[in-house]
Amino acid sequence: QQQVKQSPQSLIVQKGGISIINCAYENTAFDYFPWYQQFPGKGPALLIAIRPDVSEKKEGRFTISFNKSAKQFSLHIMDSQPGDSATYFCAASKETSGSRLTFGEGTQLTVNP
Amino acid sequence: ETGVTQTPRHLVMGMTNKKSLKCEQHLGHNAMYWYKQSAKKPLELMFVYNFKEQTENNSVPSRFSPECPNSSHLFLHLHTLQPEDSALYLCASSQEGRGSNEQFFGPGTRLTVL
């Protein structure tokens, strides 16, 4: 059973555009929602994360929007750059399970120059 | 670098071979993980070790055998694998109990089973 569903599977954006990746979760016990970024030949690395006590978190060009009632959260990349081209994974975990993360399927983002 | 190293980076093996993957973390963490990453699929958590004790085995076939001799090293022993086991195997570590859920990943071992 896939507890975190991610879309789209792939995304192509022009330089300077906004990239939006969406995730939906099922388990209401989840209380930590990170996004990981993975470049070819590298392991995933934490990009930004949010807890459900806030509806939005922004770090530079990256913003997480969180909708608790809809059980959805999304990653917005403003002013997308070719260097942002990577695979992005959303994930979720619950405090009682420590760092156990349930990952989405991943989105391959390509930002064209 | 993330502080988590994996060797080898690439491995090609036949179905009858025995090989081992190695992971080492230099972060002082107390939990380590093995994940399988296949194309267009979510990362699949295979094993979790907390303080060297295996705390999770997500129905992984016995042809995969983990070993955690200390909190800094993690191995994945491979035996009589199948072609569908070809994937990127990722190791990660974290510090349980510090209030942070962040996992730090190694670069992975690209495994091809012929």
Side-chain angles (χ1 to χ4, degrees):
Chain A
Q1 180 183 6
Q2 179 58 36
Q3 294 194 56
V4 180
K5 295 186 178 181
Q6 183 173 346
S7 63
Q9 196 172 80
S10 62
L11 180 62
I12 299 175
V13 175
Q14 292 300 117
K15 179 181 176 182
I18 302 173
S19 303
I20 302 175
I21 305 171
N22 301 297
C23 280
Y25 63 97
E26 299 170 6
N27 191 339
T28 55
F30 286 146
D31 56 8
Y32 175 72
F33 303 90
W35 285 89
Y36 279 74
Q37 180 188 53
Q38 184 178 24
F39 292 105
K42 304 282 188 180
L46 179 65
L47 180 65
I48 186 173
I50 196 169
R51 294 191 183 274
D53 52 343
V54 296
S55 60
E56 186 175 284
K57 183 174 182 180
K58 184 176 181 180
E59 291 184 3
R61 295 184 294 109
F62 300 90
T63 300
I64 299 180
S65 297
F66 182 79
N67 186 329
K68 188 174 181 178
S69 61
K71 293 188 288 184
Q72 295 175 348
F73 59 110
S74 60
L75 176 69
H76 296 238
I77 306 175
M78 310 299 288
D79 187 26
S80 299
Q81 299 297 312
D84 297 331
S85 297
T87 301
Y88 292 81
F89 295 92
C90 64
S93 71
K94 46 188 176 182
E95 186 166 352
T96 54
S97 61
S99 302
R100 308 292 184 274
L101 295 171
T102 300
F103 284 90
E105 300 95 327
T107 296
Q108 187 167 345
L109 172 65
T110 301
V111 182
N112 289 326
Chain B
E1 297 301 324
T2 64
V4 180
T5 58
Q6 290 187 244
T7 55
R9 294 294 308 275
H10 301 272
L11 178 62
V12 179
M13 59 186 289
M15 292 167 58
T16 59
N17 292 158
K18 289 184 181 181
K19 297 287 184 182
S20 296
L21 310 184
K22 178 182 176 182
C23 175
E24 183 174 1
Q25 58 97 359
H26 310 273
L27 302 168
H29 289 163
N30 56 18
M32 297 186 76
Y33 312 77
W34 278 117
Y35 286 90
K36 176 183 179 183
Q37 184 175 27
S38 305
K40 299 181 181 179
K41 293 178 68 175
L43 275 72
E44 299 173 49
L45 180 63
M46 301 175 70
F47 301 104
V48 181
Y49 278 83
N50 273 16
F51 298 98
K52 303 185 301 177
E53 299 295 324
Q54 184 176 316
T55 58
E56 198 158 334
N57 175 342
N58 282 343
S59 303
V60 180
S62 59
R63 57 186 184 269
F64 295 92
S65 174
E67 178 190 1
C68 189
N70 55 61
S71 58
S72 299
H73 294 85
L74 186 64
F75 295 89
L76 188 62
H77 303 298
L78 315 173
H79 176 52
T80 59
L81 295 190
Q82 305 298 311
E84 60 264 29
D85 296 323
S86 298
L88 182 68
Y89 288 86
L90 291 163
C91 172
S93 71
S94 70
Q95 181 62 26
E96 295 292 288
R98 191 180 283 176
S100 170
N101 301 63
E102 183 176 1
Q103 292 186 16
F104 293 78
F105 286 83
T109 295
R110 174 68 63 185
L111 174 67
T112 303
V113 182
L114 301 176

